[in-house]
Structure formats: structure tokens, C-alpha cells
């Protein structure tokens, strides 16, 4: 499945978008981790977007979204920055990492942080991740999170980040 196929499927599946969040909720969550959320106009390109619109973008401590950006994408890109040391964050532009453990930790943390966003929660985020096309060897995001993410949790714990 290509990113375009996943995006088309997810749009039809009703994936939660940034526009669906309560005002200020995402800003406060990201700020609590030293990040700033920037909203760009709906017809504008998203700075630092690896996959292209409507996927979130990252540049240093900044996360860029449009109203049609999926919540899971915003959280995923933010979590890429959260798992990096501050000196590495400052160097990020578009592509945060090529580390497998950092990618796994990012996926784990985005699920955990979804529980802190009103109206989202872990179950909804995992369903959206599956609808979008995330793939795991156990077949679903929930199975991976519950049964196969211990290495990601250990990595997060080592960074002093939420891991349960």
C-alpha cells in the first residue's frame, strides 16, 4: 500500500483530524514536551512534511499541521522529536530518524499520549493507525502495543518518558 492509498482509505474510514480536537488541547500537550504546534492554512503546503500533505511536518522543536492533518500523524511526528535529545531536535528537518528503536518508541509514545487528548484516547488512535496503513508483524497496532512493544517501552523508560 502506498501512502496515497493509505490516505485515501483513511479519509473514507473517518480518521480523526486535527480539526476534530478541542481548541488548545494539542498545543498544550505538545508544549508540555517542549514543542510548539503551528497550524498552516488548509490550502498551504505543510513545512517539514516527510510524506506530504496532509501529513504533519517537523522542523527543530516545531510541529506543523493543517486542519485536515490526521491526529495520529501530528502525534507521530511530535513523538519523533520527543524521543530525541534537545541537541538533536534542533537539527531535525522533515526526517527525524532512521533508527528502528526510535521509530518503535515513537509509535508507542504516540499511543500513550493519545490518552491525554480529550476525545481521542488510545483505542481510537490505534484504530486510526490501522486504517491509515501502519503495519506490525502481529497484524494490528493494538496487538503490537499490548504484546510486542517491550523494547520500545524500555527505551522510553530510559529517557524518563511515559511508557505505560
Amino acid at each position: 500500500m502506498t501512502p496515497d492509498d493509505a490516505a485515501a482509505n483513511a479519509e473514507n474510514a473517518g480518521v480523526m483530524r486535527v480539526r476534530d480536537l478541542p481548541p488548545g488541547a494539542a498545543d498544550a500537550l505538545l508544549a508540555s514536551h517542549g514543542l510548539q504546534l503551528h497550524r498552516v492554512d488548509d490550502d498551504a503546503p505543510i513545512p517539514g512534511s516527510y510524506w506530504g500533505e496532509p501529513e504533519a511536518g517537523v522542523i527543530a522543536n516545531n510541529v506543523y499541521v493543517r486542519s485536515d492533518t490526521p491526529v495520529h500523524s501530528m502525534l507521530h511526528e511530535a513523538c519523533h522529536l520527543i524521543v530525541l535529545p534537545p541537541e538533536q531536535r534542533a537539527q531535525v528537518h522533515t526526517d527525524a530518524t532512521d533508527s528502528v528503536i526510535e521509530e518503535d518508541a515513537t509509535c508507542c509514545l504516540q499511543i500513550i499520549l493519545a490518552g491525554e487528548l480529550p476525545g481521542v484516547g488510545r483505542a481510537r488512535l490505534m484504530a486510526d493507525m490501522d486504517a491509515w496503513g501502519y503495519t506490525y508483524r502481529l497484524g494490528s497496532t493494538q496487538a503490537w502495543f499490548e504484546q510486542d512493544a517491550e523494547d520500545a517501552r524500555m527505551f522510553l523508560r530510559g529517557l524518563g518518558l511515559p511508557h505505560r
Side-chain angles (χ1 to χ4, degrees):
M1 176 182 301
T2 70
D4 288 339
D5 293 338
N9 290 342
E11 185 67 40
N12 295 331
V15 168
M16 184 173 267
R17 306 292 172 151
V18 168
R19 65 177 163 247
D20 302 321
L21 295 173
D27 303 80
L29 177 61
L30 271 58
S32 73
H33 292 280
L35 304 177
Q36 185 170 1
L37 184 63
H38 301 271
R39 288 173 178 77
V40 299
D41 292 337
D42 286 343
D43 58 348
I46 299 174
S49 179
Y50 182 81
W51 293 105
E53 292 78 31
E55 297 290 326
V58 289
I59 302 172
N61 291 322
N62 303 289
V63 179
Y64 296 87
V65 298
R66 294 191 318 207
S67 67
D68 64 338
T69 297
V71 171
H72 70 81
S73 176
M74 176 196 69
L75 285 172
H76 187 85
E77 296 306 325
C79 289
H80 266 302
L81 297 176
I82 293 168
V83 304
L84 290 175
E87 63 275 7
Q88 285 184 301
R89 276 188 201 177
Q91 299 171 6
V92 170
H93 193 299
T94 308
D95 191 5
T97 187
D98 59 359
S99 163
V100 172
I101 190 59
E102 287 176 1
E103 183 67 34
D104 289 349
T106 292
C107 290
C108 188
L109 186 58
Q110 81 185 84
I111 295 165
I112 293 167
L113 294 184
E116 297 182 28
L117 280 175
V120 182
R122 293 177 180 191
R124 172 60 192 259
L125 191 83
M126 288 187 281
D128 285 0
M129 290 168 71
D130 288 343
W132 200 256
Y134 287 66
T135 58
Y136 298 95
R137 65 180 170 217
L138 295 181
S140 73
T141 304
Q142 182 175 352
W144 170 79
F145 183 74
E146 293 175 353
Q147 302 168 37
D148 195 30
E150 192 54 39
D151 57 339
R153 292 179 197 284
M154 287 175 40
F155 186 83
L156 292 170
R157 184 174 31 244
L159 296 174
L161 292 169
H163 56 277
R164 293 273 170 223

